[in-house]
Amino acid sequence: MEVLNPRASFLSNYEVLSLLRELDNDYLSRAKTAVRIKKEEDGAGVTGKGGSDPAAVDISENLRTVEVEAIQYLSADYQPIAQQSEAGIKQLTRDLAPYSLTKAEKLQIVNLAPTEPVELYVVVEELEDRLGEQMDDILSAVRRSLNAPYASPGLSYSERSHPPAAGEAEVYREEEQGWGEEVYDANEVIFDDTGEGAGVEGDLDMDDE
Amino acid sequence: MFVLSIIKDTIAILPANFGVLPEQALISEINKKYANRVLHDVGMCICVFDLTEASEGKVRYGDGCLWYKVIFRMVVFRPFASEVILAKVKSSDEDGIRLSVGFFDDMYIPLSYLPQPSALDSNERAHFWLPDSEATTPHELLESITTDRMYIDQGEIVRVRVEADEFYDDEPGPPKASEGVAVKREVRRAPYSVICSIAEQGLGPIPWWKAAQVDEELMEEG
């Protein structure tokens, strides 16, 4: 084992939650399929064929644990994630671009979505000297980004594993929804360290001393 | 609070999993090995983000596994110093407050990072902050009127700033012959712990700053 880069880039909480939800739905749909196959086999009287489905990988216990606990934490009602959306966050990062904020500050604004001045105080150092009047603009930009209703990423994924008996039209509609929400552009909101804000991390580390 | 780490490793796929797409089998094996574990000086691993590069699988003498050299990206929990995050109070004791974010709970606020003056109320098992008080010793603080105290109760959501993090690798080495087989029990330290602070305006339990926010700020500055 070799660590090539311990901190290649930052991830926002929203990205992590969408990734974990995708994994979770994947797991649930697979579990459902397994149950269905077992039922079918029992019904057909096929026994003793033995062995597990060759196309299925077992999900390890440690992954399930951390997955479920992290989803619980990230989607708790004190987190702003419930009101966030992919489009909202994209718009927010665009709105924040003109202000002289560091990468780390922008990431925290996305993660915590501060809507009160005191919350922004904690995130941005020397807020008054650096931004002065612009503070209200940032707060209203955050508020605007939160208004979008929450469409949980990849939620309809598991619904697609309906029995084939379901009406043809219905299946189509669900599939459409599923794909629409499943499209997940990882590069959109990643806080890549190699960009113009490079060196921010170094500044942060200096604070330690 | 989450970062992507790029890691290189050699992963074996058991013959039982040859029927699965190699990519899926690898991701599943990597998750089995890394998820929910602490990597020294990297952080706590959550799950695989994606595979960057993988070699052809090779069979080695001795087992039937296919061995792949893989470079992959891992989602890792590693809040940076000075980052502000939300956490839940897990417990309080004489040394400070222990916090939890659900999947990780080795987060501590030592006494020196509590807002001053503050003290531990042993009846309530909770620390409290006494704003605008002249009292300094715990004795004086405990004589204050209960309604003036601002408690940090168990289960409350607090906004904290990450001050530092520490990694310990306490794995014992092989036993030495001279020491015999005597088993020594040492205090186990958490492999990764995060030190947080709430000694700042805007930090601490969220209701402190939601209600009567303006008054609080004036009082603080005055």
Side-chain angles (χ1 to χ4, degrees), chain B residues 7-216:
Chain B
I7 299 167
K8 188 179 171 185
D9 203 352
T10 312
I11 301 289
I13 302 291
L14 289 169
N17 291 330
F18 284 176
V20 190
L21 285 175
E23 191 191 346
Q24 267 185 32
L26 282 173
I27 288 179
S28 152
E29 278 304 312
I30 297 169
N31 274 331
K32 201 181 285 174
K33 181 170 175 186
Y34 287 91
N36 211 1
R37 304 223 156 92
V38 170
L39 267 188
H40 198 71
D41 282 340
V42 174
M44 197 181 96
C45 300
I46 307 290
C47 65
V48 173
F49 189 77
D50 60 3
L51 299 181
T52 316
E53 216 182 294
S55 69
E56 286 291 318
K58 285 196 181 114
V59 182
R60 296 198 319 180
Y61 176 77
D63 60 19
C65 295
L66 272 179
W67 294 78
Y68 290 85
K69 281 210 166 75
V70 197
I71 298 176
F72 55 94
R73 293 198 286 177
M74 192 89 200
V75 179
V76 173
F77 172 73
R78 177 93 196 264
F80 54 84
S82 90
E83 182 171 0
V84 175
I85 58 176
L86 299 172
K88 197 178 247 179
V89 176
K90 191 176 157 87
S91 61
S92 302
D93 59 19
E94 295 75 20
D95 302 323
I97 297 176
R98 184 171 184 183
L99 305 170
S100 163
V101 288
F103 53 94
F104 181 78
D105 53 11
D106 288 311
M107 303 175 71
Y108 301 91
I109 308 175
L111 290 182
S112 52
Y113 282 135
L114 289 175
Q116 298 302 329
S118 65
L120 175 70
D121 186 336
S122 44
N123 293 330
E124 302 267 343
R125 292 302 295 167
H127 288 268
F128 64 86
W129 173 42
L130 205 61
D132 306 311
S133 162
E134 298 293 313
T136 45
T137 61
H139 210 75
E140 286 169 15
L141 281 166
L142 286 171
E143 282 170 0
S144 62
I145 312 158
T146 327
T147 49
D148 286 351
R149 299 177 187 175
M150 299 182 72
Y151 278 100
I152 304 159
D153 290 315
Q154 196 187 339
E156 215 167 351
I157 306 301
V158 285
R159 195 181 291 122
V160 296
R161 186 185 295 286
V162 174
E163 294 288 340
D165 50 13
E166 288 162 352
F167 287 92
Y168 296 108
D169 194 358
D170 278 348
E171 283 302 304
K176 289 187 190 103
S178 59
E179 286 172 13
V181 284
V183 182
K184 259 186 273 176
R185 274 260 157 239
E186 279 173 37
V187 188
R188 280 191 66 89
R189 292 180 293 187
Y192 173 44
S193 53
V194 178
I195 311 296
C196 304
S197 158
I198 55 168
E200 220 179 297
Q201 268 188 61
L203 299 180
I206 289 174
W208 284 9
W209 303 102
K210 276 269 187 256
Q213 181 189 41
V214 183
D215 297 354
E216 287 277 327

Side-chain angles (χ1 to χ4, degrees), chain A:
Chain A
M1 203 265 312
E2 188 187 343
V3 179
L4 300 181
N5 187 346
R7 196 173 278 172
S9 59
F10 290 106
L11 282 176
S12 69
N13 288 0
Y14 187 83
E15 284 169 297
V16 174
L17 182 63
S18 353
L19 178 72
L20 291 175
R21 280 236 168 96
E22 218 172 277
L23 274 180
D24 195 42
N25 290 332
D26 203 22
Y27 171 80
L28 290 178
S29 66
R30 233 185 267 167
K32 263 188 206 162
T33 321
V35 168
R36 207 187 62 212
I37 288 173
K38 196 163 183 298
K39 263 190 196 155
E40 276 170 14
E41 274 180 359
D42 288 351
V46 183
T47 43
K49 224 174 89 182
S52 54
D53 177 14
V57 278
D58 49 331
I59 302 288
S60 53
E61 212 41 53
N62 53 347
L63 176 66
R64 279 300 291 165
T65 312
V66 74
E67 195 181 292
V68 168
E69 285 174 346
I71 290 178
Q72 246 166 34
Y73 167 72
L74 288 173
S75 54
D77 49 5
Y78 52 86
Q79 296 277 7
I81 279 191
Q83 299 160 51
Q84 284 179 322
S85 65
E86 210 175 304
I89 292 176
K90 268 184 212 165
Q91 186 57 41
L92 178 60
T93 47
R94 249 176 257 140
D95 289 346
L96 291 177
Y99 309 108
S100 56
L101 294 165
T102 64
K103 210 147 248 192
E105 285 164 351
K106 276 188 254 180
L107 173 64
Q108 291 185 70
I109 291 178
V110 168
N111 278 347
L112 298 170
T115 51
E116 315 251 354
V118 69
E119 293 174 312
L120 197 60
Y121 258 105
V122 197
V123 174
V124 183
E125 265 176 70
E126 289 156 24
L127 179 71
E128 265 169 353
D129 298 346
R130 282 172 53 199
L131 296 168
E133 298 299 306
Q134 296 170 331
M135 195 173 86
D136 290 328
D137 301 344
I138 295 179
L139 291 176
S140 58
V142 172
R143 254 176 239 132
R144 249 180 288 138
S145 79
L146 288 181
N147 285 339
Y150 178 56
S152 105
L155 195 75
S156 59
Y157 189 90
S158 57
E159 287 171 14
R160 279 197 279 138
S161 56
H162 268 304
E168 192 75 9
E170 199 190 338
V171 174
Y172 265 97
R173 191 171 47 75
E174 278 174 5
E175 212 138 309
E176 256 169 43
Q177 279 179 356
W179 287 113
E181 281 165 7
E182 238 185 319
V183 173
Y184 172 63
D185 194 346
N187 294 322
E188 258 328 306
V189 258
I190 282 189
F191 288 79
D192 192 352
D193 251 6
T194 51
E196 45 182 315
V200 171
E201 221 191 302
D203 294 349
L204 288 166
D205 289 343
M206 272 166 66
D207 292 344
D208 288 355
E209 293 167 27

